[in-house]
Amino acid sequence: MRGSRAWAREDSAAARRLADPEKARRLIRVMGSVPAIRMRWLAAGRDMQDQLVPVLAARTGAAEDSMEVRLPACALIDALSVAMEHWAWQDEPGDVAELTRQALAYLRVDELQAPARG
Protein backbone atom coordinates (compact mmCIF):
# COMPACT_ATOMS: atom_id res chain seq x y z
CA MET A 1 0.00 0.00 0.00
CA ARG A 2 2.81 2.37 0.86
CA GLY A 3 4.41 1.99 -2.58
CA SER A 4 1.12 2.68 -4.34
CA ARG A 5 0.74 5.96 -2.43
CA ALA A 6 4.20 7.08 -3.54
CA TRP A 7 3.34 6.15 -7.13
CA ALA A 8 0.06 8.10 -6.90
CA ARG A 9 1.95 11.17 -5.63
CA GLU A 10 4.46 10.89 -8.48
CA ASP A 11 1.64 10.40 -10.97
CA SER A 12 -0.24 13.46 -9.74
CA ALA A 13 2.97 15.52 -9.82
CA ALA A 14 3.51 14.48 -13.44
CA ALA A 15 -0.08 15.41 -14.27
CA ARG A 16 0.43 18.85 -12.71
CA ARG A 17 3.61 19.40 -14.76
CA LEU A 18 1.85 18.46 -17.97
CA ALA A 19 -1.16 20.64 -17.15
CA ASP A 20 1.12 23.67 -17.40
CA PRO A 21 1.93 24.13 -21.12
CA GLU A 22 5.29 25.81 -20.48
CA LYS A 23 6.41 23.00 -18.18
CA ALA A 24 5.19 20.42 -20.70
CA ARG A 25 7.10 22.15 -23.50
CA ARG A 26 10.30 22.20 -21.41
CA LEU A 27 9.85 18.54 -20.54
CA ILE A 28 9.41 17.59 -24.21
CA ARG A 29 12.50 19.61 -25.18
CA VAL A 30 14.56 17.84 -22.51
CA MET A 31 13.20 14.45 -23.55
CA GLY A 32 14.26 15.13 -27.11
CA SER A 33 17.70 16.51 -26.37
CA VAL A 34 19.13 14.32 -23.58
CA PRO A 35 20.32 11.09 -25.25
CA ALA A 36 19.52 8.70 -22.38
CA ILE A 37 16.05 10.16 -21.92
CA ARG A 38 15.44 10.23 -25.67
CA MET A 39 16.23 6.50 -25.86
CA ARG A 40 13.60 5.80 -23.20
CA TRP A 41 11.11 8.05 -25.01
CA LEU A 42 11.72 6.19 -28.27
CA ALA A 43 11.31 2.85 -26.49
CA ALA A 44 8.01 4.05 -24.99
CA GLY A 45 6.90 5.07 -28.49
CA ARG A 46 7.70 1.60 -29.75
CA ASP A 47 5.64 0.10 -26.93
CA MET A 48 2.72 2.34 -27.95
CA GLN A 49 3.12 1.22 -31.56
CA ASP A 50 2.95 -2.40 -30.45
CA GLN A 51 -0.24 -1.66 -28.48
CA LEU A 52 -1.80 0.06 -31.49
CA VAL A 53 -1.15 -2.86 -33.88
CA PRO A 54 -4.05 -5.07 -32.70
CA VAL A 55 -6.43 -2.10 -32.84
CA LEU A 56 -5.49 -1.31 -36.43
CA ALA A 57 -5.57 -4.98 -37.38
CA ALA A 58 -9.12 -5.25 -36.09
CA ARG A 59 -10.11 -2.05 -37.88
CA THR A 60 -8.58 -3.00 -41.23
CA GLY A 61 -9.08 -6.76 -41.14
CA ALA A 62 -5.39 -7.32 -41.91
CA ALA A 63 -3.05 -9.57 -39.96
CA GLU A 64 -1.25 -8.01 -37.00
CA ASP A 65 2.14 -8.94 -38.44
CA SER A 66 1.41 -7.40 -41.83
CA MET A 67 3.17 -4.29 -43.05
CA GLU A 68 -0.30 -2.93 -43.85
CA VAL A 69 -0.90 -2.72 -40.08
CA ARG A 70 2.56 -2.19 -38.61
CA LEU A 71 3.49 0.72 -40.89
CA PRO A 72 0.47 2.89 -40.00
CA ALA A 73 0.95 2.08 -36.29
CA CYS A 74 4.50 3.41 -36.49
CA ALA A 75 3.47 6.41 -38.57
CA LEU A 76 0.66 7.36 -36.19
CA ILE A 77 2.81 7.34 -33.07
CA ASP A 78 5.65 9.14 -34.86
CA ALA A 79 3.22 11.77 -36.17
CA LEU A 80 2.08 12.49 -32.63
CA SER A 81 5.68 12.73 -31.44
CA VAL A 82 6.61 15.09 -34.28
CA ALA A 83 3.60 17.30 -33.55
CA MET A 84 4.50 17.51 -29.86
CA GLU A 85 8.16 18.19 -30.57
CA HIS A 86 7.23 20.87 -33.11
CA TRP A 87 4.93 22.48 -30.54
CA ALA A 88 7.60 22.33 -27.83
CA TRP A 89 10.27 24.09 -29.89
CA GLN A 90 8.16 26.96 -31.26
CA ASP A 91 8.78 30.47 -29.93
CA GLU A 92 5.05 31.15 -30.10
CA PRO A 93 3.44 27.72 -30.04
CA GLY A 94 -0.03 27.14 -31.36
CA ASP A 95 -2.56 24.77 -29.89
CA VAL A 96 -0.98 21.34 -29.40
CA ALA A 97 -4.31 19.62 -30.01
CA GLU A 98 -4.66 21.40 -33.35
CA LEU A 99 -1.10 20.47 -34.33
CA THR A 100 -1.91 16.86 -33.45
CA ARG A 101 -5.05 16.94 -35.59
CA GLN A 102 -3.02 18.37 -38.48
CA ALA A 103 -0.37 15.66 -38.12
CA LEU A 104 -3.01 12.94 -38.23
CA ALA A 105 -4.73 14.62 -41.18
CA TYR A 106 -1.45 14.48 -43.13
CA LEU A 107 -1.54 10.72 -42.66
CA ARG A 108 -5.16 10.53 -43.84
CA VAL A 109 -6.12 8.41 -40.84
CA ASP A 110 -9.78 8.75 -41.75
CA GLU A 111 -9.13 6.33 -44.62
CA LEU A 112 -8.30 3.46 -42.24
CA GLN A 113 -11.59 1.64 -42.26
CA ALA A 114 -12.84 -1.77 -41.43
CA PRO A 115 -13.52 -3.95 -44.47
CA ALA A 116 -17.10 -4.03 -45.68
CA ARG A 117 -19.04 -6.93 -44.25
CA GLY A 118 -21.62 -8.45 -46.44
Side-chain angles (χ1 to χ4, degrees):
M1 180 70 127
R2 188 174 196 173
S4 64
R5 285 185 193 155
W7 182 84
R9 279 193 304 272
E10 289 174 15
D11 191 43
S12 64
R16 282 193 304 275
R17 279 193 301 273
L18 294 176
D20 178 342
E22 282 308 308
K23 287 182 181 178
R25 291 177 66 230
R26 282 194 304 271
L27 178 62
I28 292 167
R29 288 192 300 260
V30 167
M31 288 171 37
S33 58
V34 175
I37 297 172
R38 183 159 181 81
M39 285 185 351
R40 292 188 73 185
W41 188 13
L42 293 171
R46 181 56 188 250
D47 289 343
M48 288 187 286
Q49 292 167 4
D50 291 343
Q51 292 175 28
L52 189 54
V53 163
V55 175
L56 293 178
R59 185 170 177 117
T60 62
E64 288 185 18
D65 63 349
S66 71
M67 191 163 51
E68 178 183 354
V69 169
R70 297 200 60 81
L71 183 60
C74 294
L76 286 166
I77 298 303
D78 284 347
L80 297 175
S81 296
V82 167
M84 291 180 68
E85 289 174 3
H86 177 78
W87 172 75
W89 286 100
Q90 297 304 302
D91 291 331
E92 295 183 28
D95 178 39
V96 69
E98 180 56 31
L99 286 172
T100 300
R101 279 190 288 278
Q102 288 175 6
L104 296 177
Y106 293 143
L107 295 178
R108 299 175 11 187
V109 174
D110 56 328
E111 294 180 16
L112 291 174
Q113 299 177 12
R117 308 247 186 240

